[in-house]
Amino acid sequence: MALTMKELQKLVEGEDFRYFVDPTRDALMLGASGLNGTYQFIILLEVQGQFVQFRTIGYLHCPADHPNLKEVLEVLGELNYSLRLVKFARDPSDGEIVAYADVWVMDGTLTQKQFGRMIHNFLPSIDLNSDRIKRTLETGEDPGELDPQTLMERMLGEAGLPPKLRDKIRELEEQKKEKSKKKGPSKVKKI
């Protein structure tokens, strides 16, 4: 039981996304914003509704003569090794870097919960990794994954928290530092 365009549209609407219908093929075009930018992507329905692909549009670009091509390809390879659903690729013909996620529906169905998990894995993956790839493009050095503390700071930012809450968090952090200074070295002598 393959997926129809109407069913795909219903799944997208079920996740509260707006979309454009491609009049020339079975595809929906969407946009989303994240910490590192705004992204366009399409959801393609192919092979008579048996195959669904999420794919970025205009994500990044690294031509064949780019001085940091090797380093960028290494980052893409590492991402592909560490991520489960989302994969990154570079088109050798024009240097376009894309992110994509595929699912074979075949004779099954794609539930709202499955679709939601796909879209909510896809978007953070393209957003959080775009800065890493861009920095590698610019510098030739992989900055690595964002550590959770830095990610939290970027997510909340100075403008992201109400001033009173931000001040309270800082106060608690200072209290924690003072408390650990007062404790001194551990009194454990034997184990």
Side-chain angles (χ1 to χ4, degrees), residues 30 41 46 50 63 119 148:
L30 300 92
F41 64 102
E46 298 180 322
Q50 296 178 72
I119 204 163

Side-chain angles (χ1 to χ4, degrees), residues 115-190:
F115 183 83
R117 175 53 44 215
M118 283 183 71
I119 204 163
H120 293 291
N121 276 350
F122 183 72
L123 293 173
S125 292
I126 64 174
D127 183 40
L128 294 177
N129 291 301
S130 70
D131 190 52
R132 180 178 180 184
I133 299 167
K134 282 179 197 171
R135 289 174 62 191
T136 305
L137 272 163
E138 293 165 3
T139 67
E141 292 185 30
D142 177 5
E145 256 185 81
L146 277 178
D147 66 275
Q149 181 67 33
T150 303
L151 179 58
M152 186 62 76
E153 289 169 4
R154 286 182 71 185
M155 285 173 60
L156 298 176
E158 286 297 315
L161 290 174
K164 287 183 180 180
L165 181 56
R166 187 174 52 242
D167 293 342
K168 188 64 176 172
I169 289 172
R170 285 188 184 136
E171 180 185 323
L172 291 170
E173 287 173 343
E174 288 301 316
Q175 287 175 3
K176 184 178 176 183
K177 285 179 188 175
E178 288 300 317
K179 199 175 195 181
S180 46
K181 284 180 186 177
K182 289 179 183 178
K183 278 186 177 179
S186 174
K187 295 177 183 177
V188 175
K189 299 198 189 236
K190 284 186 184 180

Side-chain angles (χ1 to χ4, degrees), residues 63-77:
D65 61 350
H66 194 284
N68 299 324
L69 174 62
K70 177 184 174 289
E71 292 80 5
V72 169
L73 292 175
E74 287 175 358
V75 169
L76 298 181

Side-chain angles (χ1 to χ4, degrees), residues 48-59:
Q48 293 85 40
Q50 296 178 72
F51 181 78
V52 177
Q53 183 179 68
F54 289 64
R55 187 170 196 259
T56 57
I57 300 171
Y59 184 63

